[in-house]
Amino acid sequence: MKHYMEQLQEAALKNGPLCVGLDTDPSYLPAPLLQIFDTPADAVLAYNKEIIKRIAAEKTACCCKIQIAYYEALGIEGLKAYIETIRAVKEAGLIAISDIKRGDIADTAKAYARAHFEGDFATDIITINPYMGFDTLKPFTEYCKPAQTENAAGGKGIFVLLRTSNPGMVDIEQQELKAGGRVLDKTGAELARLSAAFKTLYPEQTCSPVGAVVGCTEESDARALRDAYPDLFFLIPGYGAQGGAARIAATLLDKAGGTVNSSRGILCAWKKSPALADRVESGNLCLKEIADAAAEAARAAKEDLLAAKKELGL
């Protein structure tokens, strides 16, 4: 049995490393389009489905990342759109990463794990914040183990925050410890330990079900982190709208590999087209046209990342 992280690794090699971020805010859609739907959540879901359909058909991405906050902000209707978006991603044959960044202790963490791996929000891989302590990871890693029964949830994956893409990461992640090394190095060592432990459960695995979030906004850490954790598959934010270069992202795609997220650069691609902007002004822009622009942006991002990999000889 292959866990979901290994399935994602295979998909990234086959279809390219792009992860399409469906962090879809209603403001990313033209105002006239929003008016034809009953709720903003309905418009978001319709846009998501159009994008998913195109990237799946064209094989321009290996997965989609759905950031739950954008859907929570829309209330109950938004959470319904979140559920349906995950379902659409999986039905399209893509891996679903739910960006929830949970991190809590004991029974609370167990409830979060159950909610996002078994319940209505069930997904393939989730993001985790480890900074309340490594005991917070255990309820989630239990779901990374092979399923014990036919209908049980198992083989899931987690991406643990290691080196994030925001400027404020220096406030905690880069802080030096009295025992030596940085906070992020301590976190990485724990992820490496977990990775080694999973080898007994998945002897043939080519990466661990425990992956790491490593941003591509700074070149200084990229090579060092990739070499330090060769068995960890990376979720790589920061590319595109956050200023991360394809070259840095490609460096992080070495060894066990990774998937590079692009959200606004794809979702808001229609805003960069003068022709489409004119259509917005006239009120004639349709959903298909902005989805076409998103699909084109996804194709361009995939080509950019693959060219950077080739340049580095990967």
Side-chain angles (χ1 to χ4, degrees), residues 234-313:
F234 289 168
L235 172 60
I236 305 166
Y239 170 74
Q242 286 184 283
R247 181 187 68 259
I248 304 174
T251 299
L252 295 168
L253 293 172
D254 198 5
K255 311 288 184 180
T259 181
V260 183
N261 183 73
S262 178
S263 298
R264 281 173 291 165
I266 292 172
L267 296 172
C268 299
W270 65 270
K271 295 183 178 182
K272 298 178 182 179
S273 168
L276 292 184
D278 289 342
R279 297 288 299 279
V280 171
E281 290 296 325
S282 66
N284 293 324
L285 188 63
C286 68
L287 190 64
K288 180 183 180 302
E289 289 174 301
I290 64 168
D292 286 343
E296 176 56 35
R299 286 192 294 272
K302 175 183 175 178
E303 291 171 4
D304 187 36
L305 292 168
L306 290 179
K309 282 188 68 178
K310 184 177 181 180
E311 184 179 340
L312 293 176

Side-chain angles (χ1 to χ4, degrees), residues 2-205:
K2 293 181 179 178
H3 51 72
Y4 279 103
M5 196 71 77
E6 195 168 15
Q7 294 177 42
L8 178 54
Q9 183 189 48
E10 290 184 352
L13 290 172
K14 181 179 179 182
N15 296 338
L18 180 66
C19 169
V20 173
L22 297 175
D23 308 349
T24 317
D25 189 270
S27 67
Y28 296 166
L29 282 74
L33 267 182
L34 287 173
Q35 295 171 5
I36 69 174
F37 292 93
D38 291 336
T39 68
D42 289 337
V44 164
L45 178 59
Y47 189 32
N48 288 349
K49 286 183 173 180
E50 288 290 333
I51 294 173
I52 292 165
K53 180 169 63 177
R54 284 163 175 74
I55 62 172
E58 298 177 15
K59 301 187 184 305
T60 49
C62 57
C63 59
C64 291
K65 181 178 75 67
I66 309 100
Q67 167 53 262
I68 195 171
Y70 289 87
Y71 302 85
E72 290 175 334
L74 297 174
I76 296 301
E77 293 304 316
L79 288 176
K80 289 178 181 177
Y82 174 78
I83 292 169
E84 290 302 318
T85 296
I86 293 173
R87 185 171 297 155
V89 170
K90 293 172 68 65
E91 288 177 352
L94 299 169
I95 298 292
I97 302 171
S98 291
D99 195 354
I100 63 171
K101 295 187 180 71
R102 298 298 191 259
D104 216 314
I105 59 172
D107 289 344
T108 304
K110 290 180 182 178
Y112 277 136
R114 189 168 64 249
H116 292 281
F117 282 144
E118 290 190 59
D120 290 338
F121 305 138
T123 191
D124 300 326
I125 301 172
I126 60 175
T127 57
I128 300 294
N129 186 336
Y131 291 112
M132 278 185 69
F134 299 141
D135 58 330
T136 64
L137 301 179
K138 192 175 189 308
F140 301 100
T141 58
E142 288 297 310
Y143 283 90
C144 296
K145 298 176 180 178
Q148 297 302 304
T149 63
E150 184 178 348
N151 295 321
K156 301 290 188 176
I158 60 172
F159 280 117
V160 181
L161 301 185
L162 181 60
R163 189 209 182 284
T164 54
S165 59
N166 59 308
M169 58 83 63
V170 299
D171 299 336
I172 296 175
E173 297 165 28
Q174 292 277 23
Q175 291 300 302
E176 294 286 337
L177 299 170
K178 287 184 178 180
R182 301 165 297 179
V183 172
L184 72 85
D185 298 321
K186 176 77 171 178
T187 302
E190 175 63 13
L191 300 187
R193 186 193 69 79
L194 288 171
S195 176
F198 272 106
K199 287 182 179 179
T200 62
L201 297 177
Y202 298 100
E204 305 298 322
Q205 72 175 14

Side-chain angles (χ1 to χ4, degrees), residues 214-215 218-227 234 248 251-252:
V214 180
E218 293 290 340
E219 195 163 7
S220 57
D221 279 340
R223 184 74 261 169
L225 289 172
R226 182 66 279 178
D227 289 343
F234 289 168
I248 304 174
T251 299
L252 295 168

